[in-house]
Amino acid sequence: NAGVTQTPKFRILKIGQSMTLQCTQDMNHNYMYWYRQDPGMGLKLIYYSVGAGITDKGEVPNGYNVSRSTTEDFPLRLELAAPSQTSVYFCASSPRDRGLGQPQHFGDGTRLSIL
Amino acid sequence: GESVGLHLPTLSVQEGDNSIINCAYSNSASDYFIWYKQESGKGPQFIIDIRSNMDKRQGQRVTVLLNKTVKHLSLQIAATQPGDSAVYFCAENSGGSNYKLTFGKGTLLTVNP
């Protein structure tokens, strides 16, 4: 059972470079999310998607972009990397909840350093 | 419990003891709560959840208690084992949203053999 898979696991970027963090899930979940986690802090929502073709901003979207062309994939794009974007990025997914709430399932993260 | 800042609250217990980790949530409209475990270098792992129509729910070696009056959530781990050492954090659905979660900063649990 693969669950949520994130690639790469680690990356070092130079200031101003761009990259795409990949996320794919094989659970047929409707909802997908991107978070960043800074040391000693809780997860901050960057972007989320409630289905293919639909994305929306979270708490900290500046400097990032997303797309959701398929149910399975939800890539996160950094266009002009800045040191403030050094963090651990987590992708998560959850099923349609039918009003009862559902836990989100997480990948193992991408550790990104910008120098 | 949770706190603002770079230093996580910590809890140190002896192997075999029971652990209690606390969380104060922020939004009185939240009606769904989750506990996650995060080991070093890993993503958060779902442990147990509870909906607001309950005040207690039990899993394997874990119990979650919900007190809506004081907006407090706790996770009890019975017979704590070294493999339980991790950061534990709670999450609430944001103001009643059924899919967006707000996460606490976490508590570091260390189990001493």
Side-chain angles (χ1 to χ4, degrees), chain A residues 4-5 13 20 22-24 35 37 42 46 57 71 83 86 91 96 107-108 110 113:
Chain A
V4 178
T5 302
L13 283 183
T20 299
Q22 302 291 345
C23 175
T24 187
Y35 294 91
Q37 185 179 44
I46 305 172
K57 295 179 180 178
T71 299
T86 293
C91 180
R96 191 187 303 274
D108 279 336
T110 293
S113 294

Short mmCIF file of all heavy atoms in Angstrom, two decimals, chain A residues 4-5 13 20 22-24 35 37 42 46 57 71 83 86 91 96 107-108 110 113:
data_model
loop_
_atom_site.label_atom_id
_atom_site.label_comp_id
_atom_site.label_asym_id
_atom_site.label_seq_id
_atom_site.Cartn_x
_atom_site.Cartn_y
_atom_site.Cartn_z
N VAL A 4 0.40 7.96 0.18
CA VAL A 4 0.82 9.24 -0.37
C VAL A 4 2.33 9.19 -0.58
O VAL A 4 3.08 8.92 0.36
CB VAL A 4 0.46 10.41 0.56
CG1 VAL A 4 0.96 11.73 -0.03
CG2 VAL A 4 -1.05 10.45 0.80
N THR A 5 2.76 9.44 -1.81
CA THR A 5 4.18 9.38 -2.15
C THR A 5 4.67 10.75 -2.57
O THR A 5 4.08 11.38 -3.45
CB THR A 5 4.42 8.38 -3.28
OG1 THR A 5 3.93 7.09 -2.89
CG2 THR A 5 5.90 8.27 -3.61
N LEU A 13 18.34 24.00 -3.09
CA LEU A 13 18.17 24.94 -4.20
C LEU A 13 18.97 26.21 -3.93
O LEU A 13 19.19 26.58 -2.76
CB LEU A 13 16.70 25.35 -4.34
CG LEU A 13 15.70 24.42 -4.97
CD1 LEU A 13 14.34 25.11 -5.03
CD2 LEU A 13 16.14 24.01 -6.37
N THR A 20 9.64 21.81 -8.74
CA THR A 20 8.32 21.24 -8.47
C THR A 20 8.45 20.08 -7.51
O THR A 20 9.26 19.17 -7.75
CB THR A 20 7.65 20.76 -9.78
OG1 THR A 20 7.50 21.88 -10.66
CG2 THR A 20 6.30 20.16 -9.48
N GLN A 22 6.73 16.86 -6.11
CA GLN A 22 5.71 15.94 -6.62
C GLN A 22 4.97 15.24 -5.49
O GLN A 22 5.56 14.93 -4.45
CB GLN A 22 6.35 14.90 -7.53
CG GLN A 22 7.09 15.46 -8.72
CD GLN A 22 6.17 16.10 -9.75
OE1 GLN A 22 4.95 15.91 -9.74
NE2 GLN A 22 6.75 16.88 -10.66
N CYS A 23 3.69 15.01 -5.70
CA CYS A 23 2.87 14.28 -4.74
C CYS A 23 1.85 13.45 -5.52
O CYS A 23 1.16 13.99 -6.40
CB CYS A 23 2.15 15.23 -3.79
SG CYS A 23 1.01 14.38 -2.67
N THR A 24 1.76 12.19 -5.18
CA THR A 24 0.76 11.33 -5.79
C THR A 24 0.17 10.42 -4.73
O THR A 24 0.85 10.00 -3.80
CB THR A 24 1.36 10.52 -6.96
OG1 THR A 24 0.33 9.83 -7.63
CG2 THR A 24 2.40 9.54 -6.46
N TYR A 35 1.31 21.22 2.94
CA TYR A 35 1.66 21.91 4.17
C TYR A 35 3.17 22.16 4.18
O TYR A 35 3.94 21.42 3.58
CB TYR A 35 1.34 21.06 5.40
CG TYR A 35 -0.12 20.79 5.64
CD1 TYR A 35 -0.74 19.67 5.10
CD2 TYR A 35 -0.88 21.65 6.43
CE1 TYR A 35 -2.07 19.41 5.34
CE2 TYR A 35 -2.22 21.40 6.68
CZ TYR A 35 -2.80 20.27 6.13
OH TYR A 35 -4.13 20.02 6.38
N GLN A 37 6.20 22.63 7.29
CA GLN A 37 6.43 22.47 8.72
C GLN A 37 7.79 23.04 9.06
O GLN A 37 8.81 22.53 8.61
CB GLN A 37 6.36 20.99 9.12
CG GLN A 37 6.48 20.77 10.63
CD GLN A 37 6.37 19.29 10.99
OE1 GLN A 37 6.96 18.43 10.35
NE2 GLN A 37 5.58 18.99 12.03
N GLY A 42 3.63 24.15 14.15
CA GLY A 42 2.62 23.27 13.58
C GLY A 42 2.62 23.34 12.07
O GLY A 42 3.26 24.19 11.47
N ILE A 46 -0.64 25.38 2.79
CA ILE A 46 -0.20 26.24 1.68
C ILE A 46 -1.32 26.33 0.64
O ILE A 46 -1.78 27.41 0.29
CB ILE A 46 1.08 25.68 1.03
CG1 ILE A 46 2.19 25.49 2.07
CG2 ILE A 46 1.55 26.61 -0.09
CD1 ILE A 46 3.41 24.76 1.51
N LYS A 57 -6.33 28.58 -2.09
CA LYS A 57 -5.24 29.00 -1.22
C LYS A 57 -5.52 28.61 0.23
O LYS A 57 -6.65 28.64 0.70
CB LYS A 57 -5.06 30.51 -1.31
CG LYS A 57 -4.61 30.99 -2.67
CD LYS A 57 -4.48 32.51 -2.70
CE LYS A 57 -4.03 32.99 -4.08
NZ LYS A 57 -3.93 34.46 -4.14
N THR A 71 -6.96 13.14 -10.29
CA THR A 71 -7.26 12.85 -8.89
C THR A 71 -6.00 12.46 -8.11
O THR A 71 -5.85 12.79 -6.95
CB THR A 71 -8.29 11.71 -8.80
OG1 THR A 71 -9.48 12.11 -9.45
CG2 THR A 71 -8.60 11.33 -7.36
N PRO A 83 15.12 32.06 0.74
CA PRO A 83 15.53 31.38 1.98
C PRO A 83 14.38 31.10 2.94
O PRO A 83 14.40 30.10 3.66
CB PRO A 83 16.56 32.35 2.58
CG PRO A 83 17.12 33.06 1.40
CD PRO A 83 15.97 33.22 0.45
N THR A 86 12.81 27.62 3.02
CA THR A 86 13.47 26.46 3.60
C THR A 86 12.54 25.85 4.64
O THR A 86 12.13 26.52 5.59
CB THR A 86 14.80 26.88 4.25
OG1 THR A 86 15.71 27.31 3.24
CG2 THR A 86 15.42 25.71 5.01
N CYS A 91 2.70 16.58 1.84
CA CYS A 91 1.49 16.43 1.06
C CYS A 91 0.56 15.48 1.82
O CYS A 91 1.04 14.53 2.48
CB CYS A 91 1.83 15.88 -0.32
SG CYS A 91 0.41 15.63 -1.40
N ARG A 96 -13.61 12.00 0.55
CA ARG A 96 -14.80 12.84 0.73
C ARG A 96 -15.44 12.43 2.05
O ARG A 96 -15.57 11.25 2.36
CB ARG A 96 -15.76 12.61 -0.42
CG ARG A 96 -16.89 13.61 -0.48
CD ARG A 96 -17.91 13.20 -1.55
NE ARG A 96 -17.32 13.06 -2.86
CZ ARG A 96 -17.15 14.04 -3.72
NH1 ARG A 96 -17.50 15.26 -3.38
NH2 ARG A 96 -16.64 13.82 -4.90
N GLY A 107 2.24 11.99 3.34
CA GLY A 107 3.48 11.43 2.85
C GLY A 107 4.60 11.68 3.85
O GLY A 107 4.39 12.29 4.90
N ASP A 108 5.80 11.25 3.50
CA ASP A 108 6.94 11.38 4.40
C ASP A 108 7.73 12.67 4.20
O ASP A 108 8.76 12.86 4.83
CB ASP A 108 7.86 10.17 4.27
CG ASP A 108 7.36 8.98 5.07
OD1 ASP A 108 6.60 9.20 6.04
OD2 ASP A 108 7.71 7.84 4.72
N THR A 110 9.17 16.30 1.90
CA THR A 110 10.33 16.73 1.12
C THR A 110 11.06 17.79 1.94
O THR A 110 10.45 18.79 2.33
CB THR A 110 9.92 17.35 -0.23
OG1 THR A 110 9.33 16.35 -1.05
CG2 THR A 110 11.12 17.95 -0.94
N SER A 113 16.06 22.87 1.29
CA SER A 113 16.93 23.94 1.79
C SER A 113 17.24 24.88 0.65
O SER A 113 17.58 24.43 -0.45
CB SER A 113 18.23 23.37 2.35
OG SER A 113 17.99 22.58 3.49
#
